[in-house]
Amino acid sequence: MRIQPRTKVESDSRQFPYVLFSAPPSGSSDYPAEVAEAAKLWDGTGALVFSSSAGLYEVDDGSHCNEDCKIADRGSSERTDKLLGAEEAILEAGGIVIRLVGLYHAGRGAHTFFLKQGQVARWGGYTVNLIHYEDAASLCVAALQSGKECQGRVFVGADAAPLTFQEMIDACLTSGKFSGSVDFTGQETSKKGKMMSNCQTREALDWQPKYSSFEEFMAAGANDFYNTSPLYSAKPAA
């Protein structure tokens, strides 16, 4: 698709048929405004896509969650307000929002952070949802290539194979690619995570993940672009 990165300092009057905004709100003092400015780069053909966060969904009692579940209200947190404002700017422009769950690849993600820490003040039974970086990218491309019937819609990027923190670490250690241990010291509370599914997304965008689950990825050897391609030098962290 000849995708070319563009920074906010590059200012001219050109517009483009395909625009993807994928940057976290942490690096901006006025995130919604920056997303709105990026939306102006779209010429109205092709597609405008924004990668948001599935953390906006309120479900946190360990139950199921999909594209239609309730999201947080404005005022819940500064980060939530930034994301909601950004989504609103994209949807008003006729763009597509993709709410991504936790991202990972062989050498980066919650699993490597936990293994480096060794002791983590979280409950090991907390349920998390993941998607591989390669699958998040392919989903964004699928959205860019979608038809006008997908404009103004919200989708979810997830492998739909939720697992607990402890299961995540167990999968790492049984893969043979990682060593060490993690002691989860937190106690069980009413906050238990969510079990994310995205059937609507898969059907509308005709998309399936390359890596169907974190556990299967690890069991298959934890090999991906990030530790096999000479273009990328990162390796799994011990």
Side-chain angles (χ1 to χ4, degrees):
M1 294 183 68
R2 301 191 302 276
I3 294 175
Q4 181 176 350
R6 181 184 174 92
T7 65
K8 64 181 180 181
V9 297
E10 300 176 73
S11 59
D12 56 48
S13 58
R14 286 185 300 165
Q15 289 186 308
F16 306 88
Y18 300 98
V19 176
L20 168 64
F21 189 102
S22 185
S26 55
S28 172
S29 59
D30 193 348
Y31 190 65
E34 296 208 14
V35 173
E37 281 300 308
K40 294 177 182 177
L41 296 172
W42 184 42
D43 67 7
T45 66
L48 165 67
V49 178
F50 169 62
S51 64
S52 185
S53 171
L56 287 174
Y57 289 107
E58 282 195 332
V59 176
D60 200 21
D61 60 359
S63 60
H64 289 274
C65 182
N66 63 20
E67 295 93 338
D68 296 329
C69 286
K70 188 179 186 305
I71 60 173
D73 295 322
R74 286 185 182 272
S76 299
S77 71
E78 182 180 357
R79 183 174 185 275
T80 292
D81 287 351
K82 286 182 177 182
L83 287 170
L84 290 174
E87 287 193 359
E88 184 178 279
I90 292 296
L91 295 173
E92 285 181 351
I96 297 169
V97 170
I98 299 180
R99 294 174 179 156
L100 298 174
V101 297
L103 291 159
Y104 78 92
H105 62 67
R108 183 173 183 175
H111 62 296
T112 58
F113 176 76
F114 289 161
L115 284 166
K116 287 178 182 177
Q117 294 296 306
Q119 187 175 88
V120 179
R122 297 291 302 273
W123 176 47
Y126 189 87
T127 300
V128 292
N129 301 271
L130 301 173
I131 185 170
H132 194 283
Y133 274 91
E134 291 178 42
D135 289 323
S138 72
L139 180 56
C140 287
V141 170
L144 286 170
Q145 295 176 327
S146 64
K148 288 190 177 298
E149 65 275 7
C150 290
Q151 291 181 1
R153 293 185 62 181
V154 176
F155 299 110
V156 167
D159 62 18
L163 74 170
T164 66
F165 283 149
Q166 188 62 61
E167 289 170 339
M168 178 195 300
I169 295 304
D170 290 346
C172 290
L173 297 179
T174 57
S175 72
K177 289 290 184 75
F178 298 84
S179 60
S181 63
V182 178
D183 180 19
F184 291 103
T185 62
Q187 299 300 309
E188 180 178 357
T189 69
S190 60
K191 295 182 180 297
K192 304 180 190 298
K194 61 178 69 74
M195 301 180 70
M196 205 80 225
S197 62
N198 57 348
C199 295
Q200 297 175 42
T201 297
R202 295 178 187 226
E203 181 177 355
L205 299 180
D206 191 23
W207 174 86
Q208 293 290 331
K210 175 181 178 181
Y211 304 103
S212 58
S213 77
F214 182 86
E215 290 175 302
E216 288 191 15
F217 170 72
M218 287 295 168
N223 294 314
D224 57 22
F225 170 84
Y226 297 91
N227 64 1
T228 60
S229 172
L231 298 175
Y232 196 91
S233 60
K235 293 180 172 57

